[in-house]
Every structure is written in structure tokens, then in C-alpha cells.
Amino acid sequence: MKKHLTSLVCMAMPAMLMAANYYVVPGLKASGKDGSSWENALTMYDIFANDALYKKNETESKYKHGDVFFLAGGTYINSLLGGNTGGDDVRICHGYTFVGGCDPSKGEVTEWPSYPSATPTIFSGDLNENGIADEGDMCNLICVRSGSLDGMDISHPENPEPATTFIGIDFTNSYSPAGSKDAAGAVHCTQGRIALQYCNIYSNVSEGEGSGDGIAAGIGIRGGRYHIMDCNIYGNKAIQTGAGLRVTSRDKSIGRGIVERCYFGDNEVSGKYGGAISYSAGDSHWLINTTIVGNKAQAEGAGVALNGSVFDGTNKAGAVDERPLRIINCTIAGNVCTADPADLYKEGSNPGSWLGSQIRLAADPAVEICNSIIVGAEDDGTIAKAAIVLK
């Protein structure tokens, strides 16, 4: 685990030199305590209230970039307002590190937990307490939005602000209703930097559809930088466009990041575009040492869907637009498009059907594939049944 955490530590190194440690336990309101021990532990509400008040004001904020919060095992219902508020009441605006799976009975944390933890930390959206994600449950379980800092775009690679990091936390039972626009996904990041490691994101549901950005069920990245490592993303369901992970852009902030050593399985969109993963926009997406199996879509990419663009940095209009996908050491197999091509494309329309059971890329697709296994469930020599389709 120390080896895998090295990259996270490096990301936050400048801020962590003066970082403080805090202890956090489940609770339904702010504790008013200082978080210095398990006996004086905070709740997540203390942190949310601080960030709601100070937002990007690092000078006045009680908690600083690089601070570490040790979370006791248990179920956390993080809704200040007691309802589905699209991320406003669970917003994090600073580069904190949240370490889940801690056991208060062991006293002060001197070694970080190993995962899976015997005392898991679970962020649940199940406000109506019926055990499933449905109407009345939370839309987001966490929302990272740092925006700009001192006039500098947070997405700029030279910005020293560390990522908001979540280690060893489960995210489950979030629900995004029909009409959701720009704040979907159990884990949501917009105009910020986020890192996830040893997390499980499962059984989340989104019924948002249409041209809005409220479509993701598991992880939604909207104009942010992301690094997702050693995570399991499974059993999430959406109407379309990325049930497990959706990446898109926001204004001038573009989505960019890496997924490595992760598992995507049993995610499903009832419509089109990426049963497991959809890269709707952004640039420079990487899939490394990742397994994507057993996901479903009605059409156009049951495994991964991407609106790509050329590698040389210019599109057909001559504008700078480079957002390729790179797939390295991955297994993408057994993902299924359920549609009958004959039902989708009638005579006189597009005869290509281009379902792409494993990978579907369109809009000047740009992809590099290295040392990977990509196998379709069925192949009869037609575009409709191809494992990989470039449109």
C-alpha cells in the first residue's frame, strides 16, 4: 500500500508539510469539537460547514490543503439539508485527504489501514432507509469543486493545489432523478482535482437524460482532473452515457485524467454510450491495468464510449482539440450491446450500426492500444458485431 500511495503523497507534498490530522465519526449534525482525538472527533458536517463558508478562501478556512481526516468505520449519511440538493451540502473546496476504514478501538492512528478494512467506511445516500437507490435519496455523496485559486484555473497543470483525495471509502445508494443537469454521480467533481484509491463505488442510480450533464451514476467528472486507482466500480445503472464513470468538460475547464488498476463490472446504461465508461469530452484520458467486463448498453459501446479527436492537436475546423484515449495493459471483454441492429438502422439510414460491444469511438476517433486484451462477445464480420468500432 505504501508503494501505491506514493503518487498521492507526491501530489500533495507542498501543502502536507504543514498538514494537520483530524478524527471523524458518523453523525447527523456538526459536533463542535476540535477533531484532535476519537473522543473529540468531528463529523463530516463540521467539514462541509467550513467549506460552505470559506469555499476557496484558504487563508480563513479552519482546515487547510493537505490536512488528513481519519474516518472511523460506519455508515455516513452526509446531507446537511436532509434531501437531494445536487452537491451543495456535501461540497469540498480544499485539497484534503480522507482516509476511511479506521478503527477507533485501536486508539490514535499511527499506521493507515490496509484494505479491504475490517471496519469499512460507507458513504450512503439512502435517506429513505429502504436499502436501495431510488426517489428521495441523495444525488451526490461527495462533491469536489475547488474552482479557481487566486485567479488561476484549478485545472492548470502548474497549479500547486493538491487533489482532494479519498482512500478506502465506499460510495453507494445515490440517486440522480430525471431532469438532473450538472451534478450527477455518487462521486462528483467539477472544476477541481480529485483522487480515489481503494474505494468501492456501487449500486448507484441515475435517471438523468438528454443533453444535460446529469447522467453519470457512479463517478461524474465535469471539467476536472482525476486519478482513480485500485477501485471497484460495479452495479451502477444509468439511462445513458457512462454508468460507472462519465467524464466531460465545463466551460474552459476540461476533463483529464487516469484510471489504473481498477475493475468495472455489471454497470449498465439502458440507452447508448458507455455501459461502464463514457468520455464525452475532455482531453488525454488513460486506462491502465484496468479490467472492464460484463457491462451492458443498449447500443454504441457497452464497455467504453468516447467522442475522440486527433492526436496532433487540431480538429477539422483547425481549432486546438486533442483528447485521445490510451489503453495500456487492460482487459476489456464480455461487455454486451443488447440492441438488434435491425431495430436501430433501417434501410436508407446509416447501415453501419456501429454498436461496438467493447469500445466505440466517434468524432475523429483517436486511440492508442498497447498490450491489451479486447474481445467481443460475438463477431460475425459486420460492423454491428465488432468488438471495436471507430466511426
Side-chain angles (χ1 to χ4, degrees), residues 26 41 86 177 194 213 218 222 228 241 320:
I194 188 170
D213 289 296
R222 187 168 180 250
I228 304 170
T241 319
V320 175

Side-chain angles (χ1 to χ4, degrees), residues 25 61 168 180 191 193 220 236 248:
V25 296
S61 176
S180 299
Q191 290 181 307
R193 290 187 176 188
N236 302 289
T248 187

Side-chain angles (χ1 to χ4, degrees), residues 34 78 91 96 127 141 176 216 250 281 290 319 344 359 365:
D34 64 9
N78 300 327
R91 183 173 294 179
Y96 309 138
L127 293 178
L141 309 183
S176 296
R250 175 191 171 100
T290 289
L344 293 177
I359 301 174

